[in-house]
Amino acid sequence: MAPLLLLLLVGAAAASRGDREPVYRECVAGCQQMNCTGARLREFRAEQPLYMRLTGWACLDDCQYQCMWHTVSLYIKEGYPVPQFHGKWPFSRFLFFQEPASALASFLNCIANIWMLRRYRSTVPSSCPMYHTCLAFSMISINAWFWSTIFHTKDTAITEKMDYFCASSVILHSIYLCCMRTLGLRYPSLANVFGAVLVLLFACHVSYLTLGSFDYSYNMMANVSLGMVNLVWWLAWCMRRRSHQPYLWKCVLVVVLLQSLALLELLDFPPFLWVLDAHALWHFSTIPLPFLFFSFLEDDSLYLLKMNSVVLKLD
């Protein structure tokens, strides 16, 4: 199970209380009119650090950031709860990182997957029947965490979609990985057909969310449904074979922890020190899981090689 199994449980809102606030809208409009045209815009670009320019931070982004904190200060002064803006809590920007803690956690998850990919390739021979499927799963997971890092660094329409779509690809490939392990080794034609169906399903999913307005509710329900299929399939297989393959506890623990840790999202509190929120805590909590899951894949791959060797000796 990938650490991204439930990454899509919470959809971002199209608008939030903070960005609907008249004081925020008037502040952004005034800032944009004053600072983002003519000589003032040229002055802004000349003074903007190169790293901000290279990562796509524009004058309007800076206006929204400054006006967000202006609005937050008014809310706190009047005793009102901290509002969200554009579906997000207010975060204190660090360098060019819009959500520093979540970006760091996503990057560390990416590194964990890269580390375990290297270990898997060094310990499992390519002759293992699951070798290439496990490698593909690892690469898809690394790609998803890469885009999660980019999305939390700078939220744009493109980075948001890539974050969601790549997370979906991990869930679908985890289902395919489970299909290959439970059925595909005996019935490769069935696994190939099932894989083609999953690719078609992913293409339809991406097309629906791209061609029209992004349907966050549909995206959430689609991925929760796929996640449940993934969860039940892996658990059922592990529980049925646990007496023959003792290492399966690792897979069981990962799928249970994924479901449990996702509950951190329900806390949904304003960021501590304007940096650490529930989403970041969730991402930090998943960092150990790739080590455990790829340890399971390693043990299982070596088990398959051992079983194949026994069969060949008997023949």
Side-chain angles (χ1 to χ4, degrees):
M1 250 53 359
L4 287 172
L5 178 61
L6 297 177
L7 188 60
L8 309 177
L9 282 179
V10 181
S16 304
R17 182 177 180 181
D19 54 89
R20 291 197 303 265
E21 185 66 48
V23 66
Y24 171 80
R25 291 175 176 268
E26 292 171 6
C27 177
V28 171
C31 175
Q32 190 175 11
Q33 184 177 7
M34 179 179 297
N35 299 316
C36 300
T37 57
R40 295 298 296 271
L41 177 59
R42 290 191 293 272
E43 182 180 335
F44 168 82
R45 289 173 176 168
E47 295 176 355
Q48 186 183 33
L50 179 61
Y51 60 81
M52 295 292 284
R53 200 177 314 133
L54 292 176
T55 49
W57 287 93
C59 183
L60 176 59
D61 297 320
D62 201 62
C63 283
Q64 290 176 337
Y65 182 75
Q66 301 299 333
C67 292
M68 175 185 74
W69 288 115
H70 172 66
T71 306
V72 167
S73 66
L74 292 178
Y75 265 70
I76 294 175
K77 182 179 179 180
E78 297 297 327
Y80 293 109
V82 175
Q84 291 189 342
F85 297 80
H86 306 285
K88 293 177 177 289
W89 291 110
F91 291 94
S92 181
R93 191 171 63 195
F94 174 70
L95 298 177
F96 51 81
F97 294 100
Q98 186 173 358
E99 299 175 56
S102 290
L104 175 60
S106 297
F107 176 73
L108 293 176
N109 273 283
C110 186
I111 294 299
N113 277 273
I114 293 173
W115 182 278
M116 293 311 294
L117 170 61
R118 290 169 60 88
R119 176 188 167 109
Y120 182 86
R121 293 183 65 180
S122 66
T123 56
V124 178
S126 59
S127 56
C128 172
M130 287 295 294
Y131 182 83
H132 295 290
T133 306
C134 290
L135 253 59
F137 175 75
S138 178
M139 296 301 296
I140 289 172
S141 298
I142 291 168
N143 179 64
W145 282 115
F146 168 79
W147 280 106
S148 177
T149 305
I150 297 299
F151 171 61
H152 291 302
T153 298
K154 182 71 170 69
D155 180 0
T156 68
I158 294 176
T159 60
E160 180 188 50
K161 285 183 173 64
M162 290 302 297
D163 179 47
Y164 281 118
F165 295 158
C166 291
S168 298
S169 71
V170 175
I171 300 174
L172 287 167
H173 200 277
S174 183
I175 294 174
Y176 177 70
L177 181 69
C178 187
C179 174
M180 277 295 297
R181 182 60 185 90
T182 58
L183 299 173
L185 298 181
R186 286 176 294 168
Y187 311 105
S189 297
L190 176 63
N192 291 336
V193 172
F194 185 72
V197 171
L198 291 179
V199 170
L200 180 61
L201 182 64
F202 180 67
C204 292
H205 176 74
V206 171
S207 298
Y208 173 72
L209 292 173
T210 302
L211 297 178
S213 58
F214 199 97
D215 189 337
Y216 292 98
S217 297
Y218 156 76
N219 185 62
M220 178 183 69
M221 292 306 300
N223 284 281
V224 168
S225 300
L226 291 171
M228 290 306 299
V229 171
N230 190 50
L231 168 69
V232 172
W233 198 341
W234 275 112
L235 280 182
W237 178 75
C238 288
M239 299 308 292
R240 185 167 58 87
R241 299 185 61 88
R242 67 186 185 279
S243 59
H244 305 289
Q245 296 158 252
Y247 58 85
L248 292 180
W249 68 268
K250 299 177 184 179
C251 183
V252 172
L253 183 59
V254 169
V255 298
V256 171
L257 283 176
L258 281 169
Q259 301 298 320
S260 303
L261 293 174
L263 297 176
L264 287 171
E265 284 282 87
L266 300 180
L267 298 176
D268 199 28
F269 52 84
F272 177 67
L273 298 178
W274 306 114
V275 173
L276 189 66
D277 69 332
H279 190 76
L281 284 177
W282 176 29
H283 279 350
F284 277 116
S285 70
T286 62
I287 293 171
L289 298 188
F291 297 100
L292 190 58
F293 187 63
F294 276 92
S295 177
F296 152 70
L297 291 179
E298 178 185 335
D299 290 343
D300 193 54
S301 296
L302 296 176
Y303 168 83
L304 287 173
L305 284 174
K306 181 181 177 181
M307 291 298 101
N308 285 351
S309 177
V310 170
V311 171
L312 288 174
K313 288 180 180 179
L314 291 177
D315 289 344

